[in-house]
Amino acid sequence: MDHINWFPGHMKKATDSIKKSLKLVDLVAEIVDLRIPVSSRNPVIDTIIGQKPHLMILNKKDLADPRENDRWTDEFSKRGHEVLRVDSLHDNVTKELEKAGRRALKEKFKKDREKNIENDRIRMMIVGIPNVGKSTLINRVANKRITRVGNKPGVTRQNQWIKTGGNFELLDTPGILWPKFEDPKTGLHLAFIGSIKDEIMDKQDLAFELLKVLQKQDPKILEERYGITTKDKTTLQIMEDIAVKRGAIMRGQEIDYERIATLILDEFRKGVMGRITLEKVEDYV
Ligand SMILES: Nc1nc2c(ncn2[C@@H]2O[C@H](COP(=O)(O)OP(=O)(O)OP(=O)(O)O)[C@@H](O)[C@H]2O)c(=O)[nH]1
Ligand SMILES: [Mg+2]
Protein backbone atom coordinates (compact mmCIF):
# COMPACT_ATOMS: atom_id res chain seq x y z
CA MET A 1 0.00 0.00 0.00
CA ASP A 2 2.94 2.39 0.41
CA HIS A 3 3.67 2.69 -3.24
CA ILE A 4 1.01 3.21 -5.83
CA ASN A 5 2.74 3.49 -9.16
CA TRP A 6 0.37 3.53 -12.00
CA PHE A 7 0.45 5.01 -15.45
CA PRO A 8 -1.97 3.49 -17.94
CA GLY A 9 -1.47 4.03 -21.64
CA HIS A 10 -4.31 6.50 -22.05
CA MET A 11 -2.56 8.86 -19.60
CA LYS A 12 0.38 9.22 -21.96
CA LYS A 13 -1.96 9.86 -24.85
CA ALA A 14 -3.84 12.50 -22.85
CA THR A 15 -0.58 14.18 -21.85
CA ASP A 16 0.52 14.33 -25.48
CA SER A 17 -2.77 15.78 -26.59
CA ILE A 18 -2.53 18.54 -23.97
CA LYS A 19 0.90 19.38 -25.34
CA LYS A 20 -0.51 19.58 -28.84
CA SER A 21 -3.46 21.77 -27.86
CA LEU A 22 -1.27 24.26 -26.05
CA LYS A 23 -0.81 26.44 -29.10
CA LEU A 24 -4.57 26.74 -29.50
CA VAL A 25 -5.09 28.45 -26.14
CA ASP A 26 -4.13 31.72 -24.43
CA LEU A 27 -3.81 30.29 -20.97
CA VAL A 28 -3.91 27.12 -18.96
CA ALA A 29 -6.11 26.82 -15.89
CA GLU A 30 -4.99 24.09 -13.56
CA ILE A 31 -7.58 22.72 -11.15
CA VAL A 32 -6.57 21.27 -7.81
CA ASP A 33 -8.59 19.80 -4.96
CA LEU A 34 -8.38 21.96 -1.82
CA ARG A 35 -8.41 18.88 0.41
CA ILE A 36 -5.01 17.91 -1.01
CA PRO A 37 -3.63 20.98 -2.79
CA VAL A 38 -0.12 19.57 -3.06
CA SER A 39 -0.77 16.00 -4.16
CA SER A 40 -3.44 17.03 -6.62
CA ARG A 41 -0.94 19.11 -8.62
CA ASN A 42 0.61 17.17 -11.45
CA PRO A 43 4.27 18.20 -11.72
CA VAL A 44 4.25 17.22 -15.40
CA ILE A 45 1.77 20.03 -16.12
CA ASP A 46 4.32 22.65 -15.13
CA THR A 47 6.86 21.31 -17.58
CA ILE A 48 4.29 20.98 -20.37
CA ILE A 49 2.89 24.48 -20.13
CA GLY A 50 6.24 26.26 -19.92
CA GLN A 51 5.78 30.00 -20.35
CA LYS A 52 2.01 29.97 -21.04
CA PRO A 53 0.02 32.18 -18.67
CA HIS A 54 -1.36 30.07 -15.89
CA LEU A 55 -4.35 30.21 -13.55
CA MET A 56 -4.62 28.13 -10.41
CA ILE A 57 -8.17 27.03 -9.65
CA LEU A 58 -8.60 25.80 -6.09
CA ASN A 59 -11.73 23.70 -6.31
CA LYS A 60 -14.03 21.83 -3.90
CA LYS A 61 -13.72 24.54 -1.29
CA ASP A 62 -17.00 23.29 0.21
CA LEU A 63 -15.31 19.99 1.11
CA ALA A 64 -12.19 21.46 2.70
CA ASP A 65 -11.61 23.27 5.99
CA PRO A 66 -12.43 27.00 5.47
CA ARG A 67 -9.43 28.18 7.52
CA GLU A 68 -7.06 26.01 5.52
CA ASN A 69 -8.71 27.27 2.32
CA ASP A 70 -7.72 30.81 3.29
CA ARG A 71 -4.19 29.72 4.05
CA TRP A 72 -3.77 27.89 0.76
CA THR A 73 -5.19 30.79 -1.20
CA ASP A 74 -2.62 33.10 0.39
CA GLU A 75 0.15 30.59 -0.10
CA PHE A 76 -0.50 30.09 -3.82
CA SER A 77 -0.75 33.86 -4.32
CA LYS A 78 2.50 34.27 -2.44
CA ARG A 79 4.11 31.81 -4.82
CA GLY A 80 3.11 34.08 -7.68
CA HIS A 81 0.04 32.27 -8.99
CA GLU A 82 -3.11 33.92 -10.17
CA VAL A 83 -5.68 32.15 -7.96
CA LEU A 84 -9.39 31.43 -8.08
CA ARG A 85 -11.07 29.56 -5.23
CA VAL A 86 -14.37 27.88 -6.07
CA ASP A 87 -17.02 25.30 -5.41
CA SER A 88 -17.81 24.33 -8.98
CA LEU A 89 -20.72 22.20 -7.99
CA HIS A 90 -22.70 25.01 -6.37
CA ASP A 91 -21.17 28.40 -7.23
CA ASN A 92 -21.99 30.34 -10.32
CA VAL A 93 -18.41 30.69 -11.44
CA THR A 94 -18.63 32.05 -14.97
CA LYS A 95 -17.91 35.72 -14.31
CA GLU A 96 -15.25 34.99 -11.72
CA LEU A 97 -13.50 32.55 -14.03
CA GLU A 98 -13.48 34.98 -16.91
CA LYS A 99 -12.19 37.76 -14.66
CA ALA A 100 -9.45 35.54 -13.25
CA GLY A 101 -8.53 34.55 -16.79
CA ARG A 102 -8.23 38.22 -17.73
CA ARG A 103 -6.04 38.86 -14.71
CA ALA A 104 -3.73 36.02 -15.73
CA LEU A 105 -3.60 37.47 -19.26
CA LYS A 106 -2.95 41.08 -18.27
CA GLU A 107 0.47 41.12 -19.91
CA LYS A 108 -0.79 39.63 -23.14
CA PHE A 109 -3.65 42.10 -23.42
CA LYS A 110 -1.24 44.94 -22.72
CA LYS A 111 1.08 43.83 -25.49
CA ASP A 112 -1.85 43.37 -27.87
CA ARG A 113 -3.00 46.91 -27.17
CA GLU A 114 0.48 48.28 -27.76
CA LYS A 115 0.43 46.60 -31.15
CA ASN A 116 -3.06 47.92 -31.76
CA ILE A 117 -4.43 44.45 -31.88
CA GLU A 118 -8.02 44.41 -30.77
CA ASN A 119 -8.65 41.12 -29.18
CA ASP A 120 -10.38 40.28 -25.95
CA ARG A 121 -11.06 36.66 -26.67
CA ILE A 122 -9.95 34.18 -24.05
CA ARG A 123 -9.29 30.58 -24.89
CA MET A 124 -8.64 28.65 -21.72
CA MET A 125 -7.53 25.07 -21.41
CA ILE A 126 -8.67 23.32 -18.25
CA VAL A 127 -6.21 20.72 -16.99
CA GLY A 128 -5.75 18.68 -13.84
CA ILE A 129 -5.58 15.21 -12.42
CA PRO A 130 -8.62 12.91 -12.66
CA ASN A 131 -11.76 13.70 -10.65
CA VAL A 132 -10.84 17.24 -9.47
CA GLY A 133 -13.89 18.75 -11.15
CA LYS A 134 -12.75 19.97 -14.58
CA SER A 135 -15.94 18.95 -16.36
CA THR A 136 -18.15 20.14 -13.51
CA LEU A 137 -16.61 23.61 -13.75
CA ILE A 138 -17.07 23.67 -17.50
CA ASN A 139 -20.69 22.60 -17.29
CA ARG A 140 -21.27 25.39 -14.79
CA VAL A 141 -19.82 27.96 -17.12
CA ALA A 142 -21.71 26.58 -20.09
CA ASN A 143 -24.80 26.44 -17.90
CA LYS A 144 -25.72 23.01 -19.15
CA ARG A 145 -24.51 19.47 -19.12
CA ILE A 146 -22.21 19.58 -22.10
CA THR A 147 -19.61 17.28 -20.79
CA ARG A 148 -19.99 14.15 -18.70
CA VAL A 149 -19.04 14.18 -15.01
CA GLY A 150 -18.77 11.44 -12.42
CA ASN A 151 -17.27 10.85 -9.02
CA LYS A 152 -14.58 8.50 -10.31
CA PRO A 153 -11.43 9.04 -12.32
CA GLY A 154 -11.25 8.90 -16.09
CA VAL A 155 -14.71 10.19 -17.02
CA THR A 156 -13.52 12.59 -19.73
CA ARG A 157 -11.75 10.72 -22.50
CA GLN A 158 -10.70 13.38 -24.98
CA ASN A 159 -10.26 17.12 -25.46
CA GLN A 160 -13.47 18.99 -26.10
CA TRP A 161 -14.11 22.68 -26.85
CA ILE A 162 -16.90 24.44 -25.05
CA LYS A 163 -18.18 27.79 -26.26
CA THR A 164 -19.79 29.91 -23.61
CA GLY A 165 -21.60 32.40 -25.78
CA GLY A 166 -19.27 35.32 -25.06
CA ASN A 167 -15.65 35.84 -25.95
CA PHE A 168 -14.68 33.06 -23.70
CA GLU A 169 -13.94 29.51 -24.78
CA LEU A 170 -12.95 26.55 -22.67
CA LEU A 171 -11.18 23.34 -23.57
CA ASP A 172 -12.00 20.34 -21.40
CA THR A 173 -9.27 17.71 -21.17
CA PRO A 174 -9.02 14.26 -19.62
CA GLY A 175 -7.44 14.09 -16.17
CA ILE A 176 -3.80 13.12 -16.19
CA LEU A 177 -1.61 11.58 -13.56
CA TRP A 178 2.14 11.27 -13.74
CA PRO A 179 4.25 8.11 -13.98
CA LYS A 180 5.81 8.03 -10.54
CA PHE A 181 4.93 9.52 -7.17
CA GLU A 182 7.98 10.79 -5.29
CA ASP A 183 6.24 10.73 -1.92
CA PRO A 184 4.22 7.57 -1.09
CA LYS A 185 1.70 9.80 0.69
CA THR A 186 0.80 11.32 -2.67
CA GLY A 187 -0.61 8.06 -4.03
CA LEU A 188 -2.63 7.49 -0.88
CA HIS A 189 -4.08 10.98 -0.82
CA LEU A 190 -5.02 10.76 -4.48
CA ALA A 191 -6.75 7.47 -3.79
CA PHE A 192 -8.62 8.93 -0.80
CA ILE A 193 -10.22 11.64 -2.93
CA GLY A 194 -11.01 9.19 -5.74
CA SER A 195 -8.46 10.23 -8.34
CA ILE A 196 -7.07 6.74 -8.74
CA LYS A 197 -9.30 3.91 -9.85
CA ASP A 198 -10.62 1.97 -6.86
CA GLU A 199 -10.37 -1.22 -8.89
CA ILE A 200 -6.58 -1.20 -8.79
CA MET A 201 -6.48 -0.90 -5.04
CA ASP A 202 -7.49 -2.80 -1.99
CA LYS A 203 -10.45 -0.87 -0.60
CA GLN A 204 -10.04 -2.27 2.88
CA ASP A 205 -6.40 -1.19 3.04
CA LEU A 206 -7.31 2.21 1.67
CA ALA A 207 -10.12 2.83 4.18
CA PHE A 208 -7.82 1.64 6.96
CA GLU A 209 -5.13 4.12 5.88
CA LEU A 210 -7.70 6.91 5.73
CA LEU A 211 -8.87 6.12 9.25
CA LYS A 212 -5.26 6.12 10.40
CA VAL A 213 -4.73 9.58 8.97
CA LEU A 214 -7.95 10.96 10.48
CA GLN A 215 -7.24 9.32 13.83
CA LYS A 216 -3.93 11.13 13.96
CA GLN A 217 -5.07 14.43 12.50
CA ASP A 218 -8.38 14.95 14.23
CA PRO A 219 -10.07 11.95 15.92
CA LYS A 220 -13.07 14.12 16.83
CA ILE A 221 -14.18 13.83 13.22
CA LEU A 222 -14.63 10.09 13.66
CA GLU A 223 -16.09 10.35 17.14
CA GLU A 224 -18.75 12.81 16.05
CA ARG A 225 -19.64 11.15 12.78
CA TYR A 226 -19.89 7.60 14.09
CA GLY A 227 -20.61 8.02 17.79
CA ILE A 228 -17.54 6.05 18.82
CA THR A 229 -14.61 6.70 21.14
CA THR A 230 -11.06 6.66 19.81
CA LYS A 231 -8.91 7.13 22.88
CA ASP A 232 -6.31 4.37 23.28
CA LYS A 233 -7.81 2.46 20.36
CA THR A 234 -5.95 0.97 17.43
CA THR A 235 -7.03 1.92 13.94
CA LEU A 236 -8.40 -1.57 13.42
CA GLN A 237 -10.52 -1.28 16.57
CA ILE A 238 -11.86 2.03 15.31
CA MET A 239 -12.75 0.48 11.98
CA GLU A 240 -14.53 -2.39 13.73
CA ASP A 241 -16.38 -0.03 16.08
CA ILE A 242 -17.63 1.91 13.09
CA ALA A 243 -18.71 -1.34 11.45
CA VAL A 244 -20.70 -2.31 14.53
CA LYS A 245 -22.32 1.13 14.71
CA ARG A 246 -23.26 0.95 11.06
CA GLY A 247 -24.39 -2.66 11.11
CA ALA A 248 -21.71 -3.85 8.72
CA ILE A 249 -21.87 -7.31 10.23
CA MET A 250 -22.15 -10.61 8.44
CA ARG A 251 -23.80 -13.80 9.60
CA GLY A 252 -22.04 -15.21 12.64
CA GLN A 253 -21.31 -11.71 13.98
CA GLU A 254 -18.30 -11.27 11.72
CA ILE A 255 -17.28 -7.79 10.62
CA ASP A 256 -17.99 -7.04 6.98
CA TYR A 257 -14.74 -5.20 6.26
CA GLU A 258 -15.46 -4.67 2.59
CA ARG A 259 -18.79 -3.03 3.31
CA ILE A 260 -17.50 -0.74 6.03
CA ALA A 261 -14.48 0.21 3.91
CA THR A 262 -16.75 1.23 1.06
CA LEU A 263 -18.92 3.28 3.41
CA ILE A 264 -15.97 5.09 5.01
CA LEU A 265 -14.40 6.03 1.67
CA ASP A 266 -17.73 7.09 0.28
CA GLU A 267 -18.56 9.29 3.26
CA PHE A 268 -15.16 10.94 3.20
CA ARG A 269 -15.39 11.66 -0.54
CA LYS A 270 -18.87 13.11 -0.27
CA GLY A 271 -17.81 15.35 2.58
CA VAL A 272 -20.34 14.05 5.08
CA MET A 273 -17.61 13.58 7.70
CA GLY A 274 -17.16 17.33 7.61
CA ARG A 275 -14.84 19.73 5.82
CA ILE A 276 -11.45 18.09 5.99
CA THR A 277 -8.12 19.29 4.61
CA LEU A 278 -5.54 16.52 4.57
CA GLU A 279 -2.61 18.65 3.42
CA LYS A 280 -1.86 21.79 5.41
CA VAL A 281 0.31 24.68 4.36
CA GLU A 282 2.68 24.34 7.30
CA ASP A 283 3.62 20.82 6.24
CA TYR A 284 4.72 21.98 2.81
CA VAL A 285 6.70 25.18 3.29
N1 LIG B 1 -18.62 19.06 -3.40
C1 LIG B 1 -18.06 19.34 -4.58
N2 LIG B 1 -18.02 18.39 -5.53
C2 LIG B 1 -17.46 18.70 -6.71
C3 LIG B 1 -16.91 19.99 -6.98
N3 LIG B 1 -16.43 19.98 -8.26
C4 LIG B 1 -16.66 18.74 -8.75
N4 LIG B 1 -17.28 17.96 -7.83
C5 LIG B 1 -17.63 16.52 -7.96
O1 LIG B 1 -16.42 15.82 -8.24
C6 LIG B 1 -16.67 14.70 -9.09
C7 LIG B 1 -15.74 14.73 -10.29
O2 LIG B 1 -16.11 15.78 -11.16
P1 LIG B 1 -15.72 15.82 -12.73
O3 LIG B 1 -16.09 17.17 -13.19
O4 LIG B 1 -16.24 14.64 -13.45
O5 LIG B 1 -14.12 15.69 -12.63
P2 LIG B 1 -13.06 15.73 -13.83
O6 LIG B 1 -11.90 16.51 -13.30
O7 LIG B 1 -13.69 16.20 -15.08
O8 LIG B 1 -12.65 14.18 -13.92
P3 LIG B 1 -12.05 13.34 -15.17
O9 LIG B 1 -12.86 13.66 -16.38
O10 LIG B 1 -12.22 11.94 -14.69
O11 LIG B 1 -10.62 13.73 -15.29
C8 LIG B 1 -18.14 14.78 -9.45
O12 LIG B 1 -18.84 13.89 -8.57
C9 LIG B 1 -18.53 16.22 -9.14
O13 LIG B 1 -19.88 16.37 -8.77
C10 LIG B 1 -16.96 20.97 -5.93
O14 LIG B 1 -16.47 22.12 -6.04
N5 LIG B 1 -17.55 20.58 -4.76
MG1 LIG C 1 -13.91 15.32 -16.89
Side-chain angles (χ1 to χ4, degrees):
M1 206 57 211
D2 308 47
H3 289 273
I4 302 166
N5 284 327
W6 170 71
F7 197 64
H10 74 261
M11 289 281 168
K12 183 178 171 349
K13 260 211 210 128
T15 310
D16 289 345
S17 96
I18 285 178
K19 267 185 216 164
K20 262 202 227 131
S21 304
L22 205 59
K23 55 180 178 304
L24 304 175
V25 301
D26 305 307
L27 83 155
V28 177
E30 177 183 356
I31 304 198
V32 299
D33 185 317
L34 269 165
R35 292 169 297 176
I36 56 164
V38 176
S39 298
S40 60
R41 282 203 75 187
N42 180 347
V44 173
I45 288 174
D46 259 346
T47 61
I48 296 178
I49 65 177
Q51 294 304 306
K52 269 278 167 198
H54 180 241
L55 171 66
M56 218 45 228
I57 300 178
L58 309 178
N59 193 34
K60 305 203 183 186
K61 69 171 190 201
D62 59 309
L63 297 178
D65 184 331
R67 271 206 342 251
E68 302 300 327
N69 288 351
D70 286 343
R71 290 189 183 137
W72 275 117
T73 308
D74 289 348
E75 178 61 22
F76 278 111
S77 307
K78 224 166 69 192
R79 294 181 195 171
H81 293 285
E82 205 55 69
V83 183
L84 178 65
R85 179 171 59 183
V86 289
D87 161 3
S88 316
L89 199 55
H90 307 98
D91 292 350
N92 197 346
V93 294
T94 313
K95 279 219 174 71
E96 274 184 275
L97 183 64
E98 186 172 347
K99 259 199 241 155
R102 290 193 186 280
R103 282 202 305 274
L105 284 171
K106 229 170 27 211
E107 284 301 310
K108 176 188 179 287
F109 286 135
K110 200 170 141 222
K111 276 189 199 138
D112 281 353
R113 271 198 308 276
E114 282 163 10
K115 289 189 222 149
N116 277 326
I117 301 174
E118 248 189 73
N119 175 23
D120 64 355
R121 188 162 81 152
I122 301 186
R123 285 158 308 182
M124 185 188 284
M125 171 155 62
I126 307 285
V127 301
I129 64 164
N131 207 37
V132 285
K134 298 177 294 301
S135 302
T136 303
L137 178 86
I138 285 172
N139 285 342
R140 270 267 143 204
V141 173
N143 208 10
K144 52 184 165 212
R145 254 189 86 137
I146 295 191
T147 164
R148 225 152 53 83
V149 300
N151 201 353
K152 56 179 189 186
V155 174
T156 303
R157 286 302 189 173
Q158 55 197 357
N159 290 1
Q160 185 185 0
W161 276 107
I162 285 92
K163 299 206 193 288
T164 66
N167 261 339
F168 184 35
E169 286 167 52
L170 294 172
L171 182 62
D172 191 12
T173 65
I176 52 169
L177 286 172
W178 58 106
K180 196 169 165 44
F181 304 134
E182 289 302 327
D183 180 351
K185 253 204 315 211
T186 306
L188 268 183
H189 287 185
L190 290 171
F192 292 159
I193 67 158
S195 286
I196 297 180
K197 274 201 167 56
D198 278 336
E199 292 78 17
I200 68 151
M201 288 178 311
D202 186 315
K203 253 194 183 170
Q204 294 176 32
D205 282 350
L206 190 61
F208 178 85
E209 294 294 335
L210 176 61
L211 287 179
K212 205 157 98 184
V213 169
L214 295 176
Q215 180 187 11
K216 188 161 165 242
Q217 179 177 315
D218 190 358
K220 270 213 297 297
I221 292 170
L222 300 172
E223 293 173 355
E224 277 165 20
R225 175 71 194 161
Y226 299 108
I228 56 165
T229 61
T230 59
K231 196 165 178 291
D232 299 327
K233 287 201 176 138
T234 64
T235 308
L236 188 60
Q237 277 170 331
I238 290 176
M239 193 164 178
E240 291 175 346
D241 286 357
I242 296 174
V244 171
K245 285 278 180 185
R246 288 307 170 97
I249 306 291
M250 295 187 285
R251 234 177 289 152
Q253 295 304 301
E254 266 182 70
I255 303 278
D256 189 340
Y257 290 100
E258 190 67 14
R259 189 139 71 89
I260 201 61
T262 306
L263 179 133
I264 288 165
L265 290 170
D266 198 49
E267 295 208 341
F268 172 76
R269 289 172 185 168
K270 283 200 193 120
V272 293
M273 286 186 194
R275 299 176 68 167
I276 303 168
T277 302
L278 294 177
E279 297 176 355
K280 315 230 163 127
V281 173
E282 68 254 29
D283 299 329
Y284 294 91
V285 286

mmCIF file of all heavy atoms in Angstrom, residues 129-136 138 147-150 152 154-157 172-175, ligand 2:
data_model
loop_
_atom_site.group_PDB
_atom_site.id
_atom_site.type_symbol
_atom_site.label_atom_id
_atom_site.label_comp_id
_atom_site.label_asym_id
_atom_site.label_seq_id
_atom_site.Cartn_x
_atom_site.Cartn_y
_atom_site.Cartn_z
ATOM 1 N N ILE A 129 -5.553 16.653 -12.599
ATOM 2 C CA ILE A 129 -5.580 15.206 -12.416
ATOM 3 C C ILE A 129 -7.031 14.719 -12.479
ATOM 4 O O ILE A 129 -7.966 15.540 -12.440
ATOM 5 C CB ILE A 129 -4.918 14.809 -11.077
ATOM 6 C CG1 ILE A 129 -5.706 15.378 -9.903
ATOM 7 C CG2 ILE A 129 -3.456 15.281 -11.031
ATOM 8 C CD1 ILE A 129 -5.361 14.731 -8.585
ATOM 9 N N PRO A 130 -7.248 13.408 -12.572
ATOM 10 C CA PRO A 130 -8.624 12.908 -12.656
ATOM 11 C C PRO A 130 -9.473 13.289 -11.438
ATOM 12 O O PRO A 130 -8.956 13.352 -10.319
ATOM 13 C CB PRO A 130 -8.435 11.381 -12.716
ATOM 14 C CG PRO A 130 -7.056 11.171 -13.249
ATOM 15 C CD PRO A 130 -6.248 12.326 -12.718
ATOM 16 N N ASN A 131 -10.747 13.550 -11.702
ATOM 17 C CA ASN A 131 -11.762 13.702 -10.648
ATOM 18 C C ASN A 131 -11.671 14.988 -9.817
ATOM 19 O O ASN A 131 -12.289 15.094 -8.768
ATOM 20 C CB ASN A 131 -11.725 12.480 -9.704
ATOM 21 C CG ASN A 131 -13.067 12.222 -9.046
ATOM 22 O OD1 ASN A 131 -14.110 12.391 -9.661
ATOM 23 N ND2 ASN A 131 -13.051 11.869 -7.786
ATOM 24 N N VAL A 132 -10.911 15.989 -10.255
ATOM 25 C CA VAL A 132 -10.839 17.236 -9.474
ATOM 26 C C VAL A 132 -11.978 18.198 -9.796
ATOM 27 O O VAL A 132 -12.137 19.209 -9.112
ATOM 28 C CB VAL A 132 -9.494 17.987 -9.645
ATOM 29 C CG1 VAL A 132 -8.386 17.293 -8.875
ATOM 30 C CG2 VAL A 132 -9.129 18.178 -11.092
ATOM 31 N N GLY A 133 -12.737 17.906 -10.861
ATOM 32 C CA GLY A 133 -13.890 18.750 -11.153
ATOM 33 C C GLY A 133 -13.767 19.601 -12.408
ATOM 34 O O GLY A 133 -14.468 20.610 -12.555
ATOM 35 N N LYS A 134 -12.926 19.199 -13.333
ATOM 36 C CA LYS A 134 -12.751 19.967 -14.576
ATOM 37 C C LYS A 134 -14.059 20.083 -15.360
ATOM 38 O O LYS A 134 -14.472 21.168 -15.754
ATOM 39 C CB LYS A 134 -11.670 19.308 -15.470
ATOM 40 C CG LYS A 134 -10.301 19.268 -14.810
ATOM 41 C CD LYS A 134 -9.280 18.551 -15.655
ATOM 42 C CE LYS A 134 -9.547 17.064 -15.835
ATOM 43 N NZ LYS A 134 -9.591 16.302 -14.570
ATOM 44 N N SER A 135 -14.708 18.938 -15.554
ATOM 45 C CA SER A 135 -15.935 18.947 -16.358
ATOM 46 C C SER A 135 -17.083 19.638 -15.622
ATOM 47 O O SER A 135 -17.913 20.311 -16.238
ATOM 48 C CB SER A 135 -16.327 17.515 -16.736
ATOM 49 O OG SER A 135 -15.280 16.897 -17.448
ATOM 50 N N THR A 136 -17.110 19.477 -14.307
ATOM 51 C CA THR A 136 -18.146 20.141 -13.509
ATOM 52 C C THR A 136 -18.051 21.656 -13.674
ATOM 53 O O THR A 136 -19.060 22.334 -13.882
ATOM 54 C CB THR A 136 -17.974 19.772 -12.012
ATOM 55 O OG1 THR A 136 -18.018 18.348 -11.886
ATOM 56 C CG2 THR A 136 -19.060 20.395 -11.165
ATOM 57 N N ILE A 138 -16.712 23.300 -16.135
ATOM 58 C CA ILE A 138 -17.069 23.675 -17.500
ATOM 59 C C ILE A 138 -18.576 23.650 -17.707
ATOM 60 O O ILE A 138 -19.153 24.550 -18.313
ATOM 61 C CB ILE A 138 -16.331 22.750 -18.494
ATOM 62 C CG1 ILE A 138 -14.862 23.188 -18.552
ATOM 63 C CG2 ILE A 138 -16.976 22.782 -19.857
ATOM 64 C CD1 ILE A 138 -13.972 22.280 -19.324
ATOM 65 N N THR A 147 -20.617 18.317 -20.894
ATOM 66 C CA THR A 147 -19.610 17.283 -20.787
ATOM 67 C C THR A 147 -19.898 16.401 -19.581
ATOM 68 O O THR A 147 -20.463 16.850 -18.586
ATOM 69 C CB THR A 147 -18.188 17.934 -20.803
ATOM 70 O OG1 THR A 147 -17.241 16.995 -20.339
ATOM 71 C CG2 THR A 147 -18.109 19.180 -19.949
ATOM 72 N N ARG A 148 -19.622 15.138 -19.702
ATOM 73 C CA ARG A 148 -19.994 14.151 -18.704
ATOM 74 C C ARG A 148 -19.158 14.292 -17.429
ATOM 75 O O ARG A 148 -17.968 14.563 -17.489
ATOM 76 C CB ARG A 148 -19.791 12.749 -19.279
ATOM 77 C CG ARG A 148 -20.926 11.792 -19.002
ATOM 78 C CD ARG A 148 -21.019 10.731 -20.080
ATOM 79 N NE ARG A 148 -19.761 10.042 -20.289
ATOM 80 C CZ ARG A 148 -19.328 9.014 -19.553
ATOM 81 N NH1 ARG A 148 -20.052 8.572 -18.533
ATOM 82 N NH2 ARG A 148 -18.195 8.422 -19.819
ATOM 83 N N VAL A 149 -19.784 14.138 -16.272
ATOM 84 C CA VAL A 149 -19.042 14.178 -15.013
ATOM 85 C C VAL A 149 -19.344 12.903 -14.227
ATOM 86 O O VAL A 149 -20.304 12.210 -14.504
ATOM 87 C CB VAL A 149 -19.431 15.393 -14.136
ATOM 88 C CG1 VAL A 149 -19.164 16.690 -14.845
ATOM 89 C CG2 VAL A 149 -20.887 15.315 -13.715
ATOM 90 N N GLY A 150 -18.517 12.608 -13.258
ATOM 91 C CA GLY A 150 -18.769 11.440 -12.417
ATOM 92 C C GLY A 150 -17.768 11.392 -11.303
ATOM 93 O O GLY A 150 -16.637 11.830 -11.479
ATOM 94 N N LYS A 152 -15.618 9.523 -10.158
ATOM 95 C CA LYS A 152 -14.581 8.502 -10.306
ATOM 96 C C LYS A 152 -13.625 9.019 -11.368
ATOM 97 O O LYS A 152 -13.988 9.907 -12.147
ATOM 98 C CB LYS A 152 -15.196 7.169 -10.723
ATOM 99 C CG LYS A 152 -16.022 7.269 -11.983
ATOM 100 C CD LYS A 152 -16.586 5.923 -12.356
ATOM 101 C CE LYS A 152 -17.212 6.073 -13.736
ATOM 102 N NZ LYS A 152 -17.896 5.032 -14.267
ATOM 103 N N GLY A 154 -11.224 9.355 -14.694
ATOM 104 C CA GLY A 154 -11.246 8.900 -16.086
ATOM 105 C C GLY A 154 -12.572 9.055 -16.796
ATOM 106 O O GLY A 154 -12.883 8.307 -17.722
ATOM 107 N N VAL A 155 -13.402 10.017 -16.372
ATOM 108 C CA VAL A 155 -14.707 10.185 -17.021
ATOM 109 C C VAL A 155 -14.543 10.844 -18.391
ATOM 110 O O VAL A 155 -15.117 10.408 -19.382
ATOM 111 C CB VAL A 155 -15.665 11.001 -16.124
ATOM 112 C CG1 VAL A 155 -16.959 11.304 -16.849
ATOM 113 C CG2 VAL A 155 -15.948 10.235 -14.840
ATOM 114 N N THR A 156 -13.746 11.916 -18.450
ATOM 115 C CA THR A 156 -13.516 12.591 -19.734
ATOM 116 C C THR A 156 -12.421 11.849 -20.484
ATOM 117 O O THR A 156 -11.364 11.563 -19.944
ATOM 118 C CB THR A 156 -13.090 14.058 -19.494
ATOM 119 O OG1 THR A 156 -14.109 14.697 -18.734
ATOM 120 C CG2 THR A 156 -12.895 14.795 -20.818
ATOM 121 N N ARG A 157 -12.696 11.534 -21.742
ATOM 122 C CA ARG A 157 -11.754 10.720 -22.502
ATOM 123 C C ARG A 157 -10.949 11.491 -23.524
ATOM 124 O O ARG A 157 -9.910 11.067 -23.981
ATOM 125 C CB ARG A 157 -12.498 9.573 -23.207
ATOM 126 C CG ARG A 157 -12.920 8.490 -22.258
ATOM 127 C CD ARG A 157 -11.711 7.926 -21.545
ATOM 128 N NE ARG A 157 -12.060 6.740 -20.783
ATOM 129 C CZ ARG A 157 -11.182 5.979 -20.170
ATOM 130 N NH1 ARG A 157 -9.903 6.293 -20.206
ATOM 131 N NH2 ARG A 157 -11.576 4.927 -19.494
ATOM 132 N N ASP A 172 -12.010 21.388 -22.427
ATOM 133 C CA ASP A 172 -11.995 20.344 -21.397
ATOM 134 C C ASP A 172 -10.990 19.271 -21.810
ATOM 135 O O ASP A 172 -10.862 18.966 -22.989
ATOM 136 C CB ASP A 172 -13.397 19.711 -21.285
ATOM 137 C CG ASP A 172 -13.535 18.814 -20.052
ATOM 138 O OD1 ASP A 172 -12.650 18.857 -19.180
ATOM 139 O OD2 ASP A 172 -14.540 18.087 -19.961
ATOM 140 N N THR A 173 -10.265 18.744 -20.848
ATOM 141 C CA THR A 173 -9.268 17.714 -21.166
ATOM 142 C C THR A 173 -9.415 16.550 -20.180
ATOM 143 O O THR A 173 -9.960 16.727 -19.095
ATOM 144 C CB THR A 173 -7.826 18.275 -21.033
ATOM 145 O OG1 THR A 173 -7.573 18.607 -19.660
ATOM 146 C CG2 THR A 173 -7.625 19.518 -21.893
ATOM 147 N N PRO A 174 -8.955 15.387 -20.553
ATOM 148 C CA PRO A 174 -9.021 14.260 -19.618
ATOM 149 C C PRO A 174 -8.023 14.464 -18.481
ATOM 150 O O PRO A 174 -6.975 15.086 -18.673
ATOM 151 C CB PRO A 174 -8.579 13.053 -20.461
ATOM 152 C CG PRO A 174 -8.502 13.513 -21.865
ATOM 153 C CD PRO A 174 -8.337 14.995 -21.836
ATOM 154 N N GLY A 175 -8.355 13.971 -17.307
ATOM 155 C CA GLY A 175 -7.445 14.089 -16.173
ATOM 156 C C GLY A 175 -6.169 13.300 -16.423
ATOM 157 O O GLY A 175 -6.209 12.211 -16.969
HETATM 158 MG MG MG B 2 -13.910 15.315 -16.890
#
